[in-house]
Amino acid sequence: MKQRKGLFTLLSLLLVFSLFLAACNSGAGDKPASGSGDKDKPAEDAGEPQMGGDLVVGTIGGPTLFNPMYSTDASSSDIEGFIFDGLVSSDTEFNPTLHLAEKIDVSEDGLTYTVKIKEGVKFHDGEELTADDVVFTYGIPKSPDYVGERGSGFESLETVTKKGDYEVEFKLNKKDASFYPVSLSYGILPEHILGKVPVGELGENEFNTKSPIGTGPFKFVEWKDGEYVKVEKNKDYFLGEPYLDSITYKIVPDQDALLAQLQAGDVQFTEVPGTDIETVKSTFSGVKVESGLGLSYTYIGWNQKNDLFKDVKVRQALTMALDRESMVSSVMNGDGEVAHVPESPLSFAYSDDVTKFSYDVEKAKSMLKEAGWEDTDGDGILDKDGKKFSFSLKTNQGNKIREDIAVVVQQQLKEIGIEVKPEIIEFSAFIEQVSAPNWDFDAMILGWSLSTFPDQYDIFHSSQIAEGLNMTDYTNKEADKLMEEAKQILDQDEYAKKYADIYKLIAEDQPYTFLYYPNVHRVMPENLQGYEFNAKSEYYNIHKWWLKQ
């Protein structure tokens, strides 16, 4: 079969814009995502990198497990980034880049990917990574016994075959625009350790919590649940020995405690919400700040398994009853941008040419009345067929902005006769409750950290309800069809056009009330060198970070 030599043709199909649309208080404009309070100062020569030091990073969300084929939360993904490597990665502009792969050839019909693996890459136990590990890893989500939420990312994969000790052939049953940048980015697991474990038992194997082993820049040391995860440098890392000796990933109860520990020096690196960033800049010593629009959005998800939220008019009315502009300006101190679609302005596929349900209390009341919701007994709460419009709104403990927004939602919906009962839950317990197969929520405030390649299939396609990430039970057959078609489009412009139509459907249906796109502010030691802002990855190229003494 005729092969394309090198990567130029494929990368040109997948290239994303190098200029990001970053939010500012008065609107959106063309500017890079990175920046800091000292961005106008000339760069200083930091000198030669120095070895040593433990970096303590802080977070309010604890991990659940360390296996990229099974985890779905951001904290687990952070630590997996220290431990595991994928065949491909991406740069600060979201272009796919080779990582464990030395070369990738793609057939003319886009159905065969031949991957040459770099030789000499070692797992943390000293065993060499080979084609056997790649075949094993990609066989997991294809197994009928696989119990995890990542299966949709591999639906197009027909076979994965070892062609040599360092060569693997992937055959697809249909074109898949996300296969190269997304499916090939999953961390490679060690076949020599996990190969004899039945796939149906892999999700619960102690490897995931007690002894994860990968090829990444840092090796797992220990996890004290609710306290910290410790990793130490992998001296044999294939991209070069990391400069930091170790990283302590510290779990802190809430944002206030995290801020206090940052000021005291007990935490050295963390993200700080915009509501606190000026305090940090003006009163904290020995730190610097890097800021930019994050590759994420925050939303309220309406569980359509609950009869309250099955009617699209009701979901539209709920969005119209919420003053999202006020939330951004008051709760977030203007540090973000109101969202209307499930994609970041940083993405090449972003389009907000959709129906926008702006704040309009009277219109919301009218739409609810049309849907049959009225206060028939005069208690101030709408009812229909004997059922009160009352529900719980869950979000994760420690995220002060989300907690505050839950209270604002409670207050604003009370004005139109809806009773909202906020529930604040520890992060890992919250994720378990809202995920398949539990779906234990009425409504929730959560956020998505988005893929560097835009693809809404995992979250909004109806096939992902039973075991995937479609937690709100959203179904739209036309949207399903368009998402399926988009997966087979390799031309970037055509892909973006298709997604413009998809966003129109999702925005009209309002399975989520899209709240905002947040800016991110990363606070770090003043003497930290080698850091490079990446809107997606908080710990981008962490093997290059070092502390100047």
Side-chain angles (χ1 to χ4, degrees):
M1 182 175 289
K2 185 178 178 182
Q3 302 287 322
R4 295 181 182 146
K5 301 298 182 182
L7 286 168
F8 178 80
T9 303
L10 180 65
L11 294 183
S12 68
L13 293 172
L14 299 174
L15 184 67
V16 298
F17 294 135
S18 60
L19 286 179
F20 297 154
L21 292 177
C24 58
N25 292 342
S26 59
D30 289 339
K31 66 178 183 179
S34 60
S36 73
D38 297 325
K39 66 181 180 181
D40 295 325
K41 291 183 179 180
E44 297 180 7
D45 183 5
E48 288 296 316
Q50 299 169 342
M51 292 284 185
D54 174 61
L55 185 69
V56 181
V57 304
T59 179
I60 58 173
T64 55
L65 56 87
F66 314 121
N67 185 321
M69 286 298 173
Y70 292 90
S71 68
T72 58
D73 63 279
S75 292
S76 297
S77 180
D78 286 343
I79 296 160
E80 287 164 359
F82 303 153
I83 299 172
F84 300 100
D85 290 305
L87 295 170
V88 302
S89 185
S90 63
D91 62 21
T92 57
E93 297 176 354
F94 311 148
N95 302 313
T97 58
L98 296 176
H99 197 57
L100 288 176
E102 184 175 277
K103 181 183 180 185
I104 300 177
D105 288 325
V106 186
S107 63
E108 287 290 341
D109 61 7
L111 298 178
T112 303
Y113 291 70
T114 304
V115 179
K116 175 70 168 63
I117 304 162
K118 291 177 180 175
E119 298 183 26
V121 177
K122 300 288 183 66
F123 281 101
H124 299 152
D125 61 358
E127 290 288 325
E128 187 179 17
L129 179 143
T130 69
D132 292 326
D133 302 295
V134 177
V135 171
F136 165 72
T137 299
Y138 282 87
I140 294 171
K142 297 303 295 180
S143 169
D145 298 324
Y146 173 67
V147 181
E149 295 168 313
R150 297 297 186 185
S152 66
F154 305 92
E155 287 180 353
S156 65
L157 179 58
E158 187 70 25
T159 60
V160 52
T161 307
K162 176 181 177 180
K163 306 299 286 187
D165 287 345
Y166 305 99
E167 188 171 308
V168 175
E169 180 184 81
F170 297 88
K171 281 193 174 292
L172 309 189
N173 51 40
K174 57 186 175 183
K175 292 180 182 178
D176 186 347
S178 67
F179 185 77
Y180 183 99
V182 179
S183 300
L184 291 182
S185 70
Y186 281 83
I188 302 301
L189 299 167
E191 187 270 343
H192 67 279
I193 294 175
L194 297 175
K196 294 182 180 180
V197 179
V199 171
E201 300 174 12
L202 271 176
E204 302 295 328
N205 192 270
E206 67 176 13
F207 171 92
N208 304 332
T209 55
K210 297 183 183 301
S211 56
I213 288 177
T215 60
F218 290 88
K219 301 188 290 186
F220 177 84
V221 177
E222 67 174 334
W223 174 20
K224 289 207 170 182
D225 194 15
E227 297 182 35
Y228 65 85
V229 178
K230 182 88 170 184
V231 296
E232 64 183 9
K233 73 159 69 179
N234 172 15
K235 293 182 179 180
D236 298 319
Y237 188 49
F238 78 100
L239 291 179
E241 179 181 349
Y243 299 114
L244 296 172
D245 286 336
S246 58
I247 300 167
T248 301
Y249 191 91
K250 191 173 185 181
I251 297 107
V252 181
D254 55 56
Q255 196 65 52
D256 289 337
L258 185 55
L259 205 63
Q261 292 200 24
L262 180 66
Q263 186 171 28
D266 297 328
V267 165
Q268 299 166 296
F269 182 102
T270 191
E271 286 192 356
V272 172
T275 49
D276 296 315
I277 199 62
E278 290 306 319
T279 300
V280 171
K281 288 181 177 180
S282 61
T283 64
F284 286 26
S285 61
V287 300
K288 59 185 177 182
V289 179
E290 292 278 349
S291 302
L293 186 64
L295 190 67
S296 63
Y297 68 89
T298 298
Y299 64 92
I300 302 174
W302 311 109
N303 189 350
Q304 293 177 54
K305 292 182 183 298
N306 186 323
D307 289 341
L308 292 176
F309 308 117
K310 288 184 182 296
D311 190 334
V312 64
K313 284 188 176 294
V314 168
R315 299 194 300 273
Q316 293 171 350
L318 289 168
T319 297
M320 296 180 75
L322 297 174
D323 188 352
R324 292 173 291 164
E325 293 283 357
S326 175
M327 291 179 192
V328 171
S329 63
S330 59
V331 177
M332 300 175 63
N333 289 348
D335 192 51
E337 176 184 350
V338 170
H340 298 285
V341 295
E343 188 54 75
S344 169
L346 301 180
S347 171
F348 74 82
Y350 173 78
S351 170
D352 67 350
D353 181 19
V354 298
T355 303
K356 297 180 177 68
F357 297 94
S358 301
Y359 182 53
D360 189 334
V361 172
E362 294 307 314
K363 178 66 173 174
K365 289 179 179 178
S366 174
M367 292 175 69
L368 288 169
K369 187 174 183 179
E370 289 175 15
W373 290 97
E374 297 186 77
D375 181 10
T376 61
D377 56 10
D379 67 350
I381 302 176
L382 300 178
D383 57 84
K384 178 181 178 181
D385 300 329
K387 181 180 177 66
K388 297 288 186 185
F389 207 136
S390 174
F391 64 89
S392 67
L393 176 62
K394 294 184 175 182
T395 195
N396 57 297
Q397 183 181 45
N399 189 313
K400 188 176 179 182
I401 288 177
R402 290 181 190 170
E403 291 179 10
D404 289 348
I405 284 178
V407 174
V408 172
V409 170
Q410 180 186 42
Q411 294 169 344
Q412 292 185 351
L413 292 188
K414 183 179 180 181
E415 295 178 13
I416 63 169
I418 294 175
E419 181 182 52
V420 179
K421 294 169 284 189
E423 290 186 38
I424 312 302
I425 304 166
E426 187 274 327
F427 183 73
S428 57
F430 171 52
I431 295 300
E432 183 176 355
Q433 288 178 22
V434 302
S435 299
N438 298 320
W439 305 293
D440 181 17
F441 71 101
D442 298 329
M444 62 174 170
I445 301 175
L446 193 57
W448 282 118
S449 176
L450 297 168
S451 169
T452 55
F453 186 83
D455 183 0
Q456 301 297 331
Y457 188 95
D458 286 1
I459 298 172
F460 292 107
H461 195 280
S462 62
S463 67
Q464 302 307 299
I465 292 172
E467 296 179 345
L469 299 175
N470 186 345
M471 297 177 286
T472 60
D473 203 49
Y474 173 63
T475 300
N476 182 311
K477 290 183 178 180
E478 185 179 356
D480 280 355
K481 180 174 177 290
L482 293 179
M483 283 184 273
E484 291 162 11
E485 292 172 353
K487 272 188 168 290
Q488 299 190 57
I489 298 173
L490 299 183
D491 179 82
Q492 179 179 286
D493 292 337
E494 292 302 314
Y495 189 90
K497 287 178 184 178
K498 183 71 71 174
Y499 258 93
D501 293 335
I502 293 169
Y503 295 142
K504 287 177 181 177
L505 293 174
I506 294 175
E508 186 70 28
D509 288 342
Q510 290 291 290
Y512 294 173
T513 290
F514 303 102
L515 293 176
Y516 58 85
Y517 304 113
N519 292 324
V520 295
H521 306 281
R522 296 168 186 159
V523 183
M524 62 199 73
E526 205 166 33
N527 65 332
L528 181 69
Q529 307 295 324
Y531 173 86
E532 191 174 4
F533 186 94
N534 185 307
K536 167 65 176 176
S537 175
E538 193 172 351
Y539 306 105
Y540 179 69
N541 277 347
I542 196 166
H543 65 286
K544 295 182 179 180
W545 296 12
W546 59 280
L547 295 167
K548 185 177 182 181
Q549 305 302 321

